[in-house]
Amino acid sequence: MIEFKKVSKSYDSQTNVIDQLDLKINKGELVVLIGESGSGKTTTMKMINRLHEPTSGTILIDGKNIMEINPIELRRNIGYVIQKVGLFPHMTIGENIELIPTLKKWDKAKKRKRTEELLDLVGLNPQQYIDRYPNELSGGQQQRIGVARALAVDPEVILMDEPFSALDPITREQLQEELLKLQDELHKTIVFVTHDMDEALKLGDKIAVMKDGKIIQYDTPENILKNPINDFVEYFVGKDRLWKSPEMVYARDIMKKQPATISLERTPAKALEIMKEKQTDYLLVVDVPGDRPKKVQGIITPKELKNKTTSDIKMKDILNKSYHVVAEKTNMVQVLNIMKENKLKNLPVVDEDGYLKGLITQTTILNLFADAISDYEEA
Ligand SMILES: Nc1ncnc2c1ncn2[C@@H]1O[C@H](COP(=O)(O)OP(=O)(O)OP(=O)(O)O)[C@@H](O)[C@H]1O
Ligand SMILES: [Mg+2]
């Protein structure tokens, strides 16, 4: 775990470019620092491996004050990837990756084996690339080598300062995917700096939005999107962002919370009465009446009620059992697909135990789009 405690930094002893910064980064988390140019992202990152030192305050790694660790030793145990890759042009790919293993005096065979492993890991054929020089590789390939090099000695902590920002959008997206896959396997503690909110939302377990050397909001991507703490964060996120990231809008965010229900033992006359009162032609038939948690058993629409209005008929006799439900965390893209593919106008939402939580209807979705459009026009 990395912890900043009231860390300040000034370069000229007048202005604090980092101002009383508190930040906790849990082990195995990928935390993104985002903010405008000059907000202090790189400075914050470089204090972690002591390329810069705080003017005041403390930084701990796994509870240990980093000022008590030899800086060279510290740096050898922290992977570091920067935008301009920083590969040495006169060294082969293999030698570049083996830089720190060499400093750590690993034997040749061990180094080779590790380098081949790493090239595989970042999607480059070892035989083909290990003896080439950096300028014989594309920008994206060089950046992959940068990542491989950072992983060479299997450090717990990896710092990445805008590692993908010089790449074209397609290569960039590819490398983001690869980083996520890598992280899924390796669970490193990663601090990742970017200017790009899309990248932050995609990669971050948490995002720290920085301004003038301070962290304005530190939260999950979902919360940054949905509950920006102030106008600055909202502006930074972009008002229409939710609509650029529909996979972050979940069924539970859009569902109507109290859908019309009817219990199994009720009659068609009661069904008609509820439909009229709630102005709907779609009722969820549930196992129990009243306010208790309910499970959906089927649905009732005018079709099921047709010619079945006598009072000896109960909902349990006529309910339609072919219906779909989705979990609360089903995202908007999936919801829309399910509704489209199955030609649904209504989609109940249930929790993990199958209890009814709400209902998504065509109207809820239309209203949502209407809101988004009016936000968009205001922005
Ligand atoms: N070596 C230095 N000497 C003096 N001032 C510096 C030095 N490095 C950074 N600064 C100043 O500290 C502030 C924060 O810089 P930093 O590089 O941390 O910003 P950043 O958020 O990484 O910006 P960018 O997005 O442009 O990379 C800036 O005002 C910058 O001018
Ligand atoms: Mg920077």
Side-chain angles (χ1 to χ4, degrees):
M1 190 187 65
I2 304 170
E3 188 171 8
F4 282 66
K5 282 184 170 172
K6 301 239 173 308
V7 172
S8 294
K9 167 80 183 166
S10 64
Y11 289 102
D12 56 10
S13 75
Q14 285 168 31
T15 40
N16 274 347
V17 298
I18 300 298
D19 192 20
Q20 299 271 320
L21 189 106
D22 286 315
L23 174 65
K24 253 191 202 169
I25 299 171
N26 294 323
K27 220 181 180 70
E29 259 181 4
L30 194 160
V31 168
V32 176
L33 307 180
I34 190 166
E36 291 169 337
S37 189
S39 57
K41 305 179 295 292
T42 298
T43 304
T44 301
M45 176 167 273
K46 283 185 169 173
M47 287 193 291
I48 297 172
N49 62 3
R50 288 184 62 182
L51 287 172
H52 291 317
E53 288 179 355
T55 313
S56 65
T58 20
I59 300 172
L60 308 164
I61 295 183
D62 290 336
K64 196 160 184 208
N65 186 341
I66 61 168
M67 295 312 283
E68 288 159 15
I69 305 173
N70 175 308
I72 308 289
E73 191 53 33
L74 180 74
R75 263 167 242 153
R76 284 185 190 172
N77 290 308
I78 295 180
Y80 189 39
V81 189
I82 53 174
Q83 181 182 333
K84 290 180 222 80
V85 198
L87 297 179
F88 292 99
H90 57 284
M91 288 160 90
T92 64
I93 296 310
E95 288 164 347
N96 266 287
I97 295 176
E98 285 161 16
L99 222 55
I100 294 185
T102 301
L103 290 169
K104 289 200 160 189
K105 302 200 163 50
W106 289 16
D107 70 53
K108 224 171 165 173
K110 183 178 173 191
K111 280 195 297 194
R112 247 313 122 119
K113 182 161 169 285
R114 179 66 180 153
T115 304
E116 289 176 356
E117 238 173 59
L118 287 164
L119 283 169
D120 267 336
L121 199 64
V122 297
L124 294 172
N125 180 337
Q127 272 65 47
Q128 203 176 340
Y129 290 98
I130 202 162
D131 293 320
R132 287 211 203 166
Y133 286 88
N135 67 3
E136 298 169 337
L137 269 60
S138 72
Q141 290 167 337
Q142 291 185 36
Q143 209 49 263
R144 287 191 173 91
I145 302 301
V147 173
R149 187 174 60 182
L151 291 169
V153 296
D154 205 17
E156 280 294 320
V157 176
I158 298 174
L159 310 178
M160 306 180 91
D161 195 350
E162 308 207 33
F164 306 147
S165 59
L167 303 173
D168 67 85
I170 294 171
T171 312
R172 181 174 194 169
E173 215 158 282
Q174 238 171 12
L175 284 178
Q176 290 167 350
E177 293 294 336
E178 285 170 20
L179 178 64
L180 284 176
K181 249 197 273 162
L182 271 180
Q183 178 63 352
D184 237 20
E185 272 175 49
L186 303 176
H187 302 291
K188 302 288 181 190
T189 306
I190 301 179
V191 186
F192 189 107
V193 167
T194 183
H195 270 102
D196 175 0
M197 193 43 108
D198 288 321
E199 186 165 75
L201 292 168
K202 184 166 172 185
L203 297 180
D205 294 311
K206 290 210 194 98
I207 298 174
V209 182
M210 294 189 66
K211 185 178 195 293
D212 302 331
K214 292 191 188 72
I215 290 174
I216 307 297
Q217 186 169 5
Y218 182 44
D219 218 327
T220 60
E222 194 187 337
N223 272 331
I224 296 264
L225 270 178
K226 291 180 186 163
N227 309 307
I229 200 168
N230 61 18
D231 288 350
F232 176 77
V233 177
E234 181 160 323
Y235 156 79
F236 211 79
V237 172
K239 271 204 149 199
D240 57 340
R241 181 68 55 174
L242 217 46
W243 298 97
K244 288 186 187 161
S245 311
E247 66 286 351
M248 292 216 182
V249 183
Y250 300 117
R252 63 157 187 259
D253 302 324
I254 56 177
M255 68 190 187
K256 190 168 77 177
K257 287 219 177 72
Q258 289 188 323
T261 60
I262 185 164
S263 59
L264 286 166
E265 302 296 330
R266 294 293 198 168
T267 61
K270 184 69 187 177
L272 287 170
E273 189 190 316
I274 298 174
M275 282 182 177
K276 198 169 158 206
E277 186 195 318
K278 305 259 173 154
Q279 300 194 347
T280 176
D281 57 3
Y282 180 93
L283 297 183
L284 294 165
V285 181
V286 292
D287 51 354
V288 291
D291 287 335
R292 282 179 283 167
K294 302 172 174 69
K295 286 193 175 170
V296 180
Q297 309 292 313
I299 57 169
I300 288 286
T301 67
K303 199 174 114 201
E304 284 75 38
L305 290 173
K306 207 170 171 193
N307 303 326
K308 300 202 182 83
T309 41
T310 54
S311 60
D312 56 331
I313 295 178
K314 301 276 162 37
M315 289 301 114
K316 65 181 177 195
D317 306 320
I318 56 171
L319 85 180
N320 178 351
K321 287 186 177 165
S322 66
Y323 59 95
H324 290 73
V325 296
V326 289
E328 292 171 283
K329 249 205 136 166
T330 311
N331 74 42
M332 186 73 180
V333 177
Q334 296 165 322
V335 165
L336 289 175
N337 275 332
I338 292 168
M339 292 181 85
K340 184 170 159 233
E341 270 166 28
N342 301 289
K343 300 197 170 62
L344 305 174
K345 290 187 183 143
N346 298 280
L347 188 55
V349 181
V350 298
D351 70 11
E352 286 169 352
D353 301 317
Y355 288 109
L356 177 65
K357 302 307 274 189
L359 182 70
I360 297 171
T361 67
Q362 283 183 332
T363 314
T364 45
I365 288 175
L366 275 177
N367 287 342
L368 212 66
F369 276 108
D371 284 351
I373 289 164
S374 65
D375 274 356
Y376 188 73
E377 284 174 342
E378 272 168 34

